[in-house]
Amino acid sequence: MPPSIIWCRGVDGLHAPRVQVETDLSPGLPRFTLVGLPETEVKEARDRVHAAILNSGFKFPDGRLIVNLAPAELPKESGRYDLPIALGILAVSNQLPASAKERLRTYEFAGELSLSGALQPIRGAFAMALSAGGAGFVLPRASADEAALAGVGEVLGADSLLEVAAWLAGRGELQSGSARAAAQPVVFPDLADLKGQAQARRVLEIAAAGEHSLLMYGPPGSGKSMLAARLPGLMPPLSDAAARESAAVLSLAGRFDPSQFRARPYRAPHATASAVALVGGGSPPRPGEISLATQGILFLDEFPEFDRKVLESLREPLERGEIHIARAARHATFPARFQLVAAMNPCPCGWQGHPNGRCHCTPDKIRQYRSRISGPILDRMDLLIEVPALPAETMAQTGGGEASAEVRARVAAAREKQVARQGMVNARLEAGHVDEYVAMSGQAVQLLQQAAARLDLSARSWHRIMKVARTIADLAGSIGTEKNHLAEALQYRRPFSES
Ligand SMILES: [Zn+2]
């Protein structure tokens, strides 16, 4: 019997290169050798496949069995290769009919086996389907539903090794993965539930319209996190391309939920999250929160409490929209096109400037606390606003303000203008294109020059203010960027109040 060859896919960053699973059986003392998997995973894979074959009612062949996974240098997480390894063993031991050959040759297979022979979902099914670009796939059912959303090629789902073997033998059908996404749009918390905070609402609308980064500071209970949680609900659902990118990254981390396809990701990691959890890493490299938030929002509450090194590592992805991870022999690049929304207290105790007078933080302590957010990071925030404590009478009002749906309509109109004009939202305009697309009036230029001299603005902040002004003009339906748009943008760049 010639060796059997079955195709699978590994995951390497966001790519899923083809992996060949070659199985050979020759006479000799019974032995089962697996080549091409990390040492630590070989035994587990062997044990799972062995048990799954027996418990599915097949025979485990006598003789020398060698399974080789190639190419050798790919990162290989063992689970996904269980199904192709088991099928290779069934093929070389003549437990599949000759008619199975055609399907074994033309489809790709992936899935982890339980000892009973049931198929368990694998990570990265969506990314695999995107890379395969049209090849037929046989996957565990939940993974097939996920992969079907990629909309490329035929994707079949199965529950067990036995079911796959029956289908290969022409004795049963496998169901196509069902693209069940977007049956109903994901519902985010609504602005209508919030009282007061007129300025913060306005700024949230601007942030949604231009995808601008935002830092809110104010005492506990002023509603900073509630405001942030309402941001994704102010934006239109993701485009096809954006939804696919987001799904591919989430799927790599085993976090993709097909019912959330097209919903803007909203990630809110805790300040104690490790650098690896936030930025990504590990071996093989996995995406971190900044990548899981790609095409969506990364909300960092208690901003100064995050590890300083972690905050600094946000600079590169904020500029480039991706993160490059190098760990020992492995490199990976993941998208990290997130909108940063951060919140912080004004001082270590949180109550600085609050009428309750509870704050006794010394000016030194306050300065120290705020300096945990470095200048370069502050420089990358487009909008910086104070969210004050609400007066008692506002808290007592019943009914909030305008609902998210009304704001969303204005935001959508403003975003359409941006895309029609320059092919992207304002926050993503690169330095070389800012002057051309922002098109400020003479008076606006004059105002910006005065402000730059007064506030000692860096070139980077200068551009950021221009982009925010452009978004304000888009929300107002104005063709040019006028002085009043720029004046409003400048209001949201005030340094922390010293009160
Ligand atoms: Zn304080």
Side-chain angles (χ1 to χ4, degrees):
M1 188 93 193
S4 120
I5 290 182
I6 298 191
W7 296 101
C8 184
R9 271 178 199 272
V11 282
D12 186 10
L14 261 196
H15 305 286
R18 267 219 308 183
V19 171
Q20 175 184 281
V21 180
E22 188 183 16
T23 310
D24 183 63
L25 180 64
S26 57
L29 285 176
R31 238 177 104 180
F32 178 9
T33 313
L34 240 172
V35 187
L37 277 182
E39 194 83 27
T40 48
E41 308 199 14
V42 167
K43 186 180 181 311
E44 289 170 22
R46 265 192 332 218
D47 290 350
R48 283 194 306 266
V49 169
H50 189 263
I53 286 181
L54 292 178
N55 290 328
S56 302
F58 295 105
K59 279 201 311 231
F60 200 86
D62 290 332
R64 291 174 37 142
L65 193 56
I66 300 180
V67 179
N68 181 33
L69 273 60
E73 71 276 11
L74 274 177
K76 299 197 197 77
E77 294 166 84
S78 66
R80 60 202 313 108
Y81 302 105
D82 290 356
L83 177 62
I85 292 171
L87 292 175
I89 294 174
L90 296 183
V92 291
S93 56
N94 291 316
Q95 299 186 74
L96 294 173
S99 60
K101 258 196 194 140
E102 181 61 17
R103 281 175 169 172
L104 281 177
R105 195 176 61 77
T106 50
Y107 283 82
E108 297 182 357
F109 300 82
E112 178 166 336
L113 286 168
S114 72
L115 302 182
S116 70
L119 279 168
Q120 313 287 338
I122 50 164
R123 273 186 298 116
F126 193 97
M128 281 169 76
L130 279 187
S131 290
F137 259 117
V138 177
L139 297 171
R141 188 175 304 279
S143 306
D145 289 344
E146 185 181 312
L149 280 173
V152 286
E154 183 187 9
V155 186
L156 301 174
D159 290 319
S160 66
L161 173 61
L162 200 57
E163 218 181 285
V164 178
W167 170 77
L168 284 169
R171 288 199 315 270
E173 289 304 311
L174 293 182
Q175 273 181 15
S176 296
S178 56
R180 292 169 307 180
Q184 39 218 341
V186 173
V187 178
F188 291 100
D190 203 289
L191 266 184
D193 321 328
L194 285 193
K195 305 177 208 304
Q197 301 299 14
Q199 190 195 45
R201 280 166 181 271
R202 168 71 178 160
V203 169
L204 214 55
E205 178 168 339
I206 296 167
E211 272 180 41
H212 298 289
S213 53
L214 163 66
L215 172 61
M216 298 179 272
Y217 67 100
S222 56
K224 304 184 297 283
S225 342
M226 290 169 81
L227 285 159
R230 280 152 181 79
L231 181 56
L234 304 182
M235 296 157 107
L238 296 178
S239 69
D240 273 356
R244 275 201 290 270
E245 184 181 68
S246 161
V249 185
L250 289 167
S251 129
L252 279 184
R255 303 279 185 82
F256 176 54
D257 173 355
S259 71
Q260 309 267 311
F261 190 60
R262 280 181 198 291
R264 223 162 264 278
Y266 179 82
R267 309 288 309 179
H270 194 261
T272 55
S274 69
V276 168
L278 246 135
V279 182
S283 182
R286 298 268 171 79
E289 291 288 344
I290 62 169
S291 295
L292 300 180
T294 211
Q295 302 293 352
I297 290 144
L298 180 71
F299 177 53
L300 302 181
D301 200 3
E302 309 283 357
F303 201 35
E305 305 296 333
F306 280 82
D307 186 87
R308 174 85 184 237
K309 279 214 297 279
V310 170
L311 292 186
E312 292 304 310
S313 63
L314 296 178
R315 283 161 59 174
E316 183 198 332
L318 276 171
E319 293 302 315
R320 301 182 28 185
E322 60 180 27
I323 179 86
H324 186 72
I325 298 168
R327 286 285 178 286
R330 295 268 164 249
H331 297 251
T333 301
F334 295 111
R337 238 178 305 281
F338 57 91
Q339 181 177 5
L340 177 61
V341 177
M344 62 188 279
N345 293 335
C347 68
C349 84
W351 298 104
Q352 191 233 14
H354 194 277
N356 68 11
R358 243 200 264 171
C359 175
H360 299 292
C361 301
T362 63
D364 246 15
K365 277 268 184 310
I366 294 177
R367 213 170 300 122
Q368 213 176 35
Y369 175 76
R370 291 176 181 176
S371 70
R372 289 194 216 163
I373 312 291
S374 72
I377 287 287
L378 266 185
D379 238 19
R380 284 167 173 79
M381 306 306 298
D382 295 342
L383 299 158
L384 178 67
I385 54 156
E386 184 172 5
V387 181
L390 287 177
E393 54 270 34
T394 313
M395 299 284 267
Q397 276 166 17
T398 51
E402 203 180 17
S404 290
E406 293 166 54
V407 181
R408 189 164 58 237
R410 293 196 295 270
V411 165
R415 291 172 71 105
E416 273 163 32
K417 291 193 185 89
Q418 298 165 47
V419 172
R421 181 175 61 232
Q422 66 218 15
M424 64 187 83
V425 289
N426 290 333
R428 297 207 186 153
L429 273 178
E430 287 187 22
H433 295 132
V434 172
D435 287 328
E436 178 189 349
Y437 290 118
V438 174
M440 292 204 293
S441 71
Q443 281 185 322
V445 172
Q446 211 175 22
L447 177 62
L448 183 55
Q449 279 165 347
Q450 288 161 4
R454 198 177 65 241
L455 300 170
D456 193 22
L457 292 179
S458 67
R460 183 177 276 125
S461 337
W462 174 294
H463 276 154
R464 283 178 189 274
I465 291 166
M466 287 174 71
K467 291 193 257 187
V468 170
R470 185 58 249 171
T471 301
I472 292 169
D474 286 327
L475 279 167
S478 165
I479 303 227
T481 310
E482 307 296 333
K483 188 179 172 186
N484 59 323
H485 306 135
L486 193 85
E488 187 179 351
L490 281 167
Q491 259 188 65
Y492 309 136
R493 280 294 295 203
R494 286 219 196 99
F496 300 119
S497 68
E498 296 298 331
S499 58

